[in-house]
Amino acid sequence: MPPATGEIAKKLRGAGLRPTRQRLDLAGLLFASGDRHVSAESLHGEAQAARLPVSLATVYNTLNQFTAAGLLREVAIEGNRSYFDTNTSNHFHYFLEDKGQLVDIGSERVEVFGLPALPEGTRIDRIDVIVRLKRG
Amino acid sequence: MPPATGEIAKKLRGAGLRPTRQRLDLAGLLFASGDRHVSAESLHGEAQAARLPVSLATVYNTLNQFTAAGLLREVAIEGNRSYFDTNTSNHFHYFLEDKGQLVDIGSERVEVFGLPALPEGTRIDRIDVIVRLKRG
DNA sequence: TTACATGCAAACTGTTTGCAAATAT
DNA sequence: ATATTTGCAAACAGTTTGCATGTAA
């Protein structure tokens, strides 16, 4: 179920972010439905379509703040655009190359096997897996 | 062993690229030693240091041409910079977050298990695995 | 009332491109 | 001789930032 407005405000506060109108609007779009993948541009477009006035600069700032606060996770896809994922838990992605679209791999059973010893003095922060899919 | 100059010219020709001085110089830097990971900027810097005059635009064009020809592979790391890998075979990467450095995972035993069924009408182009390492 | 957030436009970074001069075939 | 490549500078896309105005606490 979509979180209530009060929930969202609480979430922001918990992350040390003032629940301003813009942040509430963007968080509403981001966290209303299930897991989502957005770029700054796409989220800005959505906000416009929903008559929620936010400047593009604020969308950028907000996405970065949410990411720093652990509310979002950035996904590295080659190319210039940055993608942000509302699912911050450990999971992997399909990338539909023809559409440029990211899709969560909905399985906790996926595992990476056979990693050799890590370089001295390091530990795993996280493992990103992107399965690139072609049409066909 | 580093490929001889003639070998490199042959490699370029085989890829449908004229072996110009600049392309030979850059290929020399790229393919002289083992597997390498470069950005346009870093390769340009290397060329300068080696007194091999090449413009930055040509480095960009060359990296893209080599990639299109299958001589290089692009690696997606978040951030603006593009990285290119001289190892075009199927393999995965460690990414040292503190140094911003890519390292090949030198093992063919690494495998990804448990992928659910692919979306209808798609097939795997390739799988990118990036193991992000923190100091510690 | 005070610190923080927003919006705009300007700045910035990495990358691509148009075009005249240079080079490979 | 002809088509391709190069280098430069200008164009570009995505993103960040400075600063005056607006807003949350």
Side-chain angles (χ1 to χ4, degrees):
Chain A
M1 63 243 110
T5 311
E7 295 289 313
I8 296 185
K10 205 174 296 179
K11 190 170 186 166
L12 294 183
R13 249 183 253 278
L17 297 168
R18 284 188 184 176
T20 64
R21 205 215 73 233
Q22 289 85 336
R23 298 212 265 231
L24 286 167
D25 286 348
L26 294 176
L29 292 172
L30 288 168
F31 306 119
S33 49
D35 298 331
R36 308 207 48 202
H37 302 90
V38 303
S39 66
E41 193 105 15
S42 77
L43 183 58
H44 184 240
E46 252 185 83
Q48 307 244 264
R51 297 281 144 71
L52 303 169
V54 199
S55 75
L56 184 56
T58 296
V59 173
Y60 274 106
N61 291 335
T62 301
L63 286 172
N64 288 333
Q65 292 157 159
F66 283 12
T67 301
L71 269 35
L72 293 176
R73 172 172 156 176
E74 196 166 355
V75 183
I77 297 293
E78 100 236 347
N80 12 7
R81 250 183 205 75
S82 297
Y83 283 86
F84 298 85
D85 188 344
T86 60
N87 181 346
T88 57
S89 71
N90 226 44
H91 70 287
F92 303 141
H93 292 100
Y94 286 130
F95 181 63
L96 306 175
E97 293 177 329
D98 57 329
K99 300 187 196 168
Q101 197 193 335
L102 269 179
V103 182
D104 285 347
I105 293 183
S107 169
E108 298 75 32
R109 288 162 299 153
V110 183
E111 279 187 74
V112 178
F113 267 105
L115 286 182
L118 304 185
E120 190 65 33
T122 64
R123 61 194 172 79
I124 294 179
D125 178 23
R126 73 178 204 225
I127 300 182
D128 287 349
V129 174
I130 297 184
V131 180
R132 291 168 188 274
L133 301 178
K134 275 191 157 114
R135 169 169 306 291
Chain B
M1 64 242 111
T5 310
E7 294 289 313
I8 295 186
K10 204 173 294 179
K11 189 170 187 168
L12 294 183
R13 251 183 250 279
L17 297 168
R18 286 188 182 175
T20 64
R21 203 215 75 233
Q22 289 85 336
R23 297 213 267 232
L24 287 167
D25 285 348
L26 293 176
L29 292 173
L30 287 168
F31 306 119
S33 49
D35 299 331
R36 307 207 46 202
H37 303 89
V38 304
S39 66
E41 193 106 13
S42 78
L43 183 58
H44 184 240
E46 253 184 82
Q48 305 244 263
R51 298 280 142 73
L52 303 169
V54 198
S55 76
L56 184 56
T58 295
V59 173
Y60 273 106
N61 291 336
T62 301
L63 286 172
N64 288 334
Q65 292 158 157
F66 283 13
T67 302
L71 270 34
L72 292 177
R73 171 172 158 178
E74 195 167 354
V75 183
I77 297 293
E78 102 236 345
N80 9 8
R81 252 184 204 74
S82 297
Y83 282 86
F84 297 86
D85 189 343
T86 60
N87 180 347
T88 57
S89 72
N90 225 43
H91 70 286
F92 303 141
H93 292 99
Y94 286 129
F95 181 63
L96 307 175
E97 294 177 329
D98 57 329
K99 300 187 195 167
Q101 197 193 336
L102 270 178
V103 182
D104 285 347
I105 293 183
S107 169
E108 298 76 32
R109 289 163 298 153
V110 183
E111 279 187 75
V112 178
F113 268 105
L115 286 182
L118 304 186
E120 189 65 32
T122 64
R123 61 191 171 80
I124 293 179
D125 178 23
R126 73 175 204 228
I127 301 181
D128 288 348
V129 175
I130 297 183
V131 180
R132 292 170 187 273
L133 301 178
K134 277 191 156 115
R135 169 169 305 293

